[in-house]
CSV table of all heavy atoms in Angstrom, one decimal:
chain,number,residue,atom,x,y,z
A,1,MET,N,6.7,20.5,8.5
A,1,MET,CA,6.4,21.9,8.4
A,1,MET,C,7.1,22.7,9.5
A,1,MET,O,7.4,23.9,9.3
A,1,MET,CB,4.9,22.2,8.6
A,1,MET,CG,4.0,21.8,7.4
A,1,MET,SD,2.3,22.0,7.8
A,1,MET,CE,2.1,23.7,8.3
A,2,THR,N,7.3,22.1,10.5
A,2,THR,CA,8.0,22.8,11.7
A,2,THR,C,9.5,22.5,11.8
A,2,THR,O,10.1,22.8,12.8
A,2,THR,CB,7.3,22.5,13.0
A,2,THR,OG1,7.3,21.0,13.3
A,2,THR,CG2,5.8,23.0,13.0
A,3,GLY,N,10.0,21.9,10.7
A,3,GLY,CA,11.5,21.7,10.7
A,3,GLY,C,12.1,20.7,11.5
A,3,GLY,O,13.3,20.6,11.8
A,4,ARG,N,11.2,19.7,11.8
A,4,ARG,CA,11.7,18.5,12.6
A,4,ARG,C,11.9,17.3,11.8
A,4,ARG,O,11.1,16.4,11.8
A,4,ARG,CB,10.8,18.3,13.8
A,4,ARG,CG,10.7,19.5,14.8
A,4,ARG,CD,9.8,19.2,15.9
A,4,ARG,NE,8.5,19.6,15.6
A,4,ARG,CZ,7.4,19.3,16.4
A,4,ARG,NH1,7.6,18.7,17.5
A,4,ARG,NH2,6.2,19.7,16.0
A,5,LYS,N,13.0,17.3,11.0
A,5,LYS,CA,13.3,16.2,10.0
A,5,LYS,C,13.3,14.8,10.7
A,5,LYS,O,12.6,14.0,10.2
A,5,LYS,CB,14.6,16.5,9.3
A,5,LYS,CG,14.9,15.4,8.2
A,5,LYS,CD,16.2,15.8,7.5
A,5,LYS,CE,16.4,14.8,6.4
A,5,LYS,NZ,17.5,15.1,5.5
A,6,LYS,N,14.0,14.6,11.7
A,6,LYS,CA,14.2,13.3,12.3
A,6,LYS,C,12.8,12.8,12.8
A,6,LYS,O,12.5,11.5,12.6
A,6,LYS,CB,15.2,13.4,13.6
A,6,LYS,CG,15.4,12.0,14.1
A,6,LYS,CD,16.5,12.1,15.2
A,6,LYS,CE,17.6,11.2,14.6
A,6,LYS,NZ,18.9,11.4,15.2
A,7,GLU,N,12.0,13.6,13.4
A,7,GLU,CA,10.7,13.2,13.9
A,7,GLU,C,9.8,12.9,12.7
A,7,GLU,O,9.0,11.9,12.7
A,7,GLU,CB,10.0,14.3,14.8
A,7,GLU,CG,10.7,14.4,16.1
A,7,GLU,CD,11.7,15.5,16.1
A,7,GLU,OE1,12.4,15.8,15.1
A,7,GLU,OE2,11.9,16.0,17.3
A,8,ALA,N,9.9,13.7,11.6
A,8,ALA,CA,9.1,13.5,10.4
A,8,ALA,C,9.4,12.1,9.8
A,8,ALA,O,8.6,11.3,9.3
A,8,ALA,CB,9.4,14.6,9.4
A,9,GLU,N,10.8,11.8,9.7
A,9,GLU,CA,11.2,10.5,9.1
A,9,GLU,C,10.6,9.3,9.9
A,9,GLU,O,10.2,8.3,9.4
A,9,GLU,CB,12.7,10.4,9.1
A,9,GLU,CG,13.3,11.4,8.0
A,9,GLU,CD,14.9,11.6,8.1
A,9,GLU,OE1,15.4,11.3,9.3
A,9,GLU,OE2,15.4,11.8,7.2
A,10,THR,N,10.7,9.5,11.2
A,10,THR,CA,10.2,8.5,12.1
A,10,THR,C,8.7,8.3,12.0
A,10,THR,O,8.2,7.1,11.9
A,10,THR,CB,10.5,8.8,13.6
A,10,THR,OG1,11.9,8.9,13.8
A,10,THR,CG2,10.0,7.7,14.5
A,11,ALA,N,8.0,9.3,11.8
A,11,ALA,CA,6.5,9.3,11.7
A,11,ALA,C,6.1,8.6,10.3
A,11,ALA,O,5.2,7.9,10.2
A,11,ALA,CB,5.9,10.7,11.8
A,12,VAL,N,6.9,9.0,9.2
A,12,VAL,CA,6.7,8.4,8.0
A,12,VAL,C,6.9,6.8,8.1
A,12,VAL,O,6.0,6.1,7.6
A,12,VAL,CB,7.7,8.9,6.8
A,12,VAL,CG1,7.6,8.0,5.6
A,12,VAL,CG2,7.2,10.3,6.5
A,13,LYS,N,8.0,6.3,8.7
A,13,LYS,CA,8.2,4.9,8.9
A,13,LYS,C,7.0,4.2,9.7
A,13,LYS,O,6.6,3.2,9.3
A,13,LYS,CB,9.5,4.7,9.6
A,13,LYS,CG,10.7,5.0,8.7
A,13,LYS,CD,12.0,4.8,9.5
A,13,LYS,CE,13.2,5.3,8.6
A,13,LYS,NZ,14.4,5.3,9.4
A,14,ALA,N,6.6,4.9,10.7
A,14,ALA,CA,5.4,4.4,11.4
A,14,ALA,C,4.1,4.3,10.6
A,14,ALA,O,3.4,3.3,10.7
A,14,ALA,CB,5.2,5.2,12.7
A,15,ALA,N,3.9,5.3,9.9
A,15,ALA,CA,2.7,5.3,9.0
A,15,ALA,C,2.7,4.2,8.0
A,15,ALA,O,1.8,3.5,7.8
A,15,ALA,CB,2.6,6.7,8.2
A,16,GLU,N,3.9,4.1,7.4
A,16,GLU,CA,4.1,2.9,6.4
A,16,GLU,C,4.0,1.5,7.1
A,16,GLU,O,3.4,0.6,6.5
A,16,GLU,CB,5.3,3.1,5.6
A,16,GLU,CG,5.2,4.3,4.7
A,16,GLU,CD,6.5,4.6,3.8
A,16,GLU,OE1,7.7,4.3,4.4
A,16,GLU,OE2,6.4,5.0,2.7
A,17,LYS,N,4.6,1.4,8.2
A,17,LYS,CA,4.5,0.2,8.9
A,17,LYS,C,3.0,-0.2,9.3
A,17,LYS,O,2.7,-1.4,9.3
A,17,LYS,CB,5.3,0.3,10.2
A,17,LYS,CG,5.4,-1.1,11.0
A,17,LYS,CD,6.3,-0.9,12.2
A,17,LYS,CE,6.3,-2.2,12.9
A,17,LYS,NZ,7.0,-2.1,14.2
A,18,ALA,N,2.2,0.8,9.5
A,18,ALA,CA,0.8,0.6,9.8
A,18,ALA,C,0.0,0.3,8.6
A,18,ALA,O,-1.2,0.1,8.7
A,18,ALA,CB,0.3,1.9,10.6
A,19,GLY,N,0.7,0.4,7.4
A,19,GLY,CA,0.0,0.1,6.2
A,19,GLY,C,-0.6,1.4,5.4
A,19,GLY,O,-1.4,1.1,4.5
A,20,TYR,N,-0.2,2.5,5.9
A,20,TYR,CA,-0.8,3.7,5.3
A,20,TYR,C,0.2,4.1,4.1
A,20,TYR,O,1.4,4.1,4.3
A,20,TYR,CB,-0.8,4.9,6.3
A,20,TYR,CG,-1.5,6.1,5.9
A,20,TYR,CD1,-2.9,6.2,6.0
A,20,TYR,CD2,-0.9,7.1,5.3
A,20,TYR,CE1,-3.6,7.3,5.6
A,20,TYR,CE2,-1.5,8.3,4.9
A,20,TYR,CZ,-2.9,8.4,5.0
A,20,TYR,OH,-3.6,9.4,4.6
A,21,ARG,N,-0.4,4.5,3.0
A,21,ARG,CA,0.4,5.0,1.8
A,21,ARG,C,0.7,6.5,2.0
A,21,ARG,O,-0.2,7.4,2.0
A,21,ARG,CB,-0.4,4.8,0.6
A,21,ARG,CG,0.4,5.1,-0.6
A,21,ARG,CD,-0.4,5.0,-1.9
A,21,ARG,NE,0.4,5.5,-3.0
A,21,ARG,CZ,0.5,6.8,-3.4
A,21,ARG,NH1,0.0,7.7,-2.7
A,21,ARG,NH2,1.3,7.1,-4.3
A,22,VAL,N,2.0,6.8,2.3
A,22,VAL,CA,2.4,8.2,2.5
A,22,VAL,C,2.7,8.7,1.1
A,22,VAL,O,3.3,8.1,0.2
A,22,VAL,CB,3.7,8.1,3.3
A,22,VAL,CG1,4.3,9.6,3.5
A,22,VAL,CG2,3.4,7.5,4.7
A,23,ASN,N,2.3,10.0,0.9
A,23,ASN,CA,2.4,10.6,-0.4
A,23,ASN,C,3.9,10.7,-0.7
A,23,ASN,O,4.7,11.3,0.1
A,23,ASN,CB,1.8,12.0,-0.3
A,23,ASN,CG,1.7,12.8,-1.6
A,23,ASN,OD1,2.8,12.8,-2.2
A,23,ASN,ND2,0.7,13.3,-1.9
A,24,PRO,N,4.3,10.4,-1.8
A,24,PRO,CA,5.7,10.4,-2.2
A,24,PRO,C,6.3,11.8,-2.2
A,24,PRO,O,7.4,12.0,-1.9
A,24,PRO,CB,5.8,9.8,-3.7
A,24,PRO,CG,4.5,9.1,-3.8
A,24,PRO,CD,3.5,9.7,-2.9
A,25,ARG,N,5.4,12.8,-2.4
A,25,ARG,CA,5.9,14.2,-2.4
A,25,ARG,C,6.4,14.6,-1.0
A,25,ARG,O,7.3,15.2,-0.8
A,25,ARG,CB,4.9,15.1,-3.0
A,25,ARG,CG,5.4,16.5,-3.0
A,25,ARG,CD,4.4,17.5,-3.7
A,25,ARG,NE,4.9,18.8,-3.6
A,25,ARG,CZ,4.3,19.8,-4.0
A,25,ARG,NH1,3.1,19.7,-4.5
A,25,ARG,NH2,4.7,21.1,-3.8
A,26,LEU,N,5.5,14.1,0.0
A,26,LEU,CA,5.8,14.4,1.4
A,26,LEU,C,7.3,13.7,1.8
A,26,LEU,O,8.1,14.4,2.4
A,26,LEU,CB,4.8,13.9,2.4
A,26,LEU,CG,5.1,14.0,3.9
A,26,LEU,CD1,5.4,15.4,4.3
A,26,LEU,CD2,4.0,13.3,4.6
A,27,LYS,N,7.4,12.5,1.4
A,27,LYS,CA,8.7,11.8,1.6
A,27,LYS,C,9.8,12.6,0.9
A,27,LYS,O,10.9,12.7,1.6
A,27,LYS,CB,8.6,10.3,1.1
A,27,LYS,CG,7.6,9.6,2.0
A,27,LYS,CD,7.7,8.1,1.8
A,27,LYS,CE,7.5,7.5,0.5
A,27,LYS,NZ,7.4,6.0,0.5
A,28,ASP,N,9.7,13.0,-0.3
A,28,ASP,CA,10.7,13.8,-1.0
A,28,ASP,C,11.0,15.1,-0.3
A,28,ASP,O,12.1,15.4,-0.1
A,28,ASP,CB,10.3,14.0,-2.4
A,28,ASP,CG,10.4,12.8,-3.3
A,28,ASP,OD1,11.0,11.8,-2.8
A,28,ASP,OD2,9.8,12.8,-4.3
A,29,ASP,N,10.0,15.7,0.1
A,29,ASP,CA,10.1,17.1,0.9
A,29,ASP,C,10.9,16.8,2.1
A,29,ASP,O,11.8,17.6,2.5
A,29,ASP,CB,8.7,17.7,1.2
A,29,ASP,CG,8.0,18.2,0.0
A,29,ASP,OD1,8.7,18.4,-1.1
A,29,ASP,OD2,6.9,18.5,0.1
A,30,ILE,N,10.7,15.8,2.9
A,30,ILE,CA,11.3,15.5,4.1
A,30,ILE,C,12.8,15.1,3.9
A,30,ILE,O,13.7,15.6,4.6
A,30,ILE,CB,10.7,14.3,4.9
A,30,ILE,CG1,9.3,14.8,5.4
A,30,ILE,CG2,11.5,13.8,6.0
A,30,ILE,CD1,8.4,13.6,5.9
A,31,LYS,N,13.0,14.4,2.7
A,31,LYS,CA,14.5,14.0,2.4
A,31,LYS,C,15.3,15.3,2.1
A,31,LYS,O,16.4,15.3,2.3
A,31,LYS,CB,14.5,13.1,1.1
A,31,LYS,CG,14.1,11.7,1.4
A,31,LYS,CD,14.3,10.8,0.1
A,31,LYS,CE,13.8,9.4,0.5
A,31,LYS,NZ,13.8,8.6,-0.7
A,32,ARG,N,14.6,16.3,1.5
A,32,ARG,CA,15.4,17.5,1.1
A,32,ARG,C,15.5,18.5,2.3
A,32,ARG,O,16.2,19.5,2.1
A,32,ARG,CB,14.6,18.2,0.0
A,32,ARG,CG,14.8,17.5,-1.4
A,32,ARG,CD,14.3,18.4,-2.5
A,32,ARG,NE,13.0,18.8,-2.4
A,32,ARG,CZ,11.9,18.1,-2.9
A,32,ARG,NH1,12.1,17.1,-3.6
A,32,ARG,NH2,10.6,18.5,-2.8
A,33,MET,N,14.9,18.2,3.4
A,33,MET,CA,15.1,19.1,4.6
A,33,MET,C,16.5,19.0,5.1
A,33,MET,O,17.2,18.0,5.0
A,33,MET,CB,14.1,18.6,5.7
A,33,MET,CG,12.6,18.9,5.4
A,33,MET,SD,11.6,18.2,6.8
A,33,MET,CE,12.1,19.2,8.1
């Protein structure tokens, strides 16, 4: 939301590593940033 793509990508990886299912739409939105 605040335009920090690199941090968003890192946070998604950490969430998934922790076993959390990240919404695919969020991942797509981050990819398109």
Side-chain angles (χ1 to χ4, degrees):
M1 288 176 56
T2 56
R4 295 182 276 173
K5 182 176 184 171
K6 184 172 246 168
E7 291 94 333
E9 291 170 335
T10 301
V12 165
K13 287 177 188 170
E16 291 178 328
K17 183 178 179 186
Y20 191 85
R21 184 185 174 279
V22 176
N23 186 313
R25 184 171 175 188
L26 174 58
K27 293 196 297 189
D28 289 341
D29 288 347
I30 292 168
K31 280 183 188 175
R32 285 195 301 268
M33 289 176 68

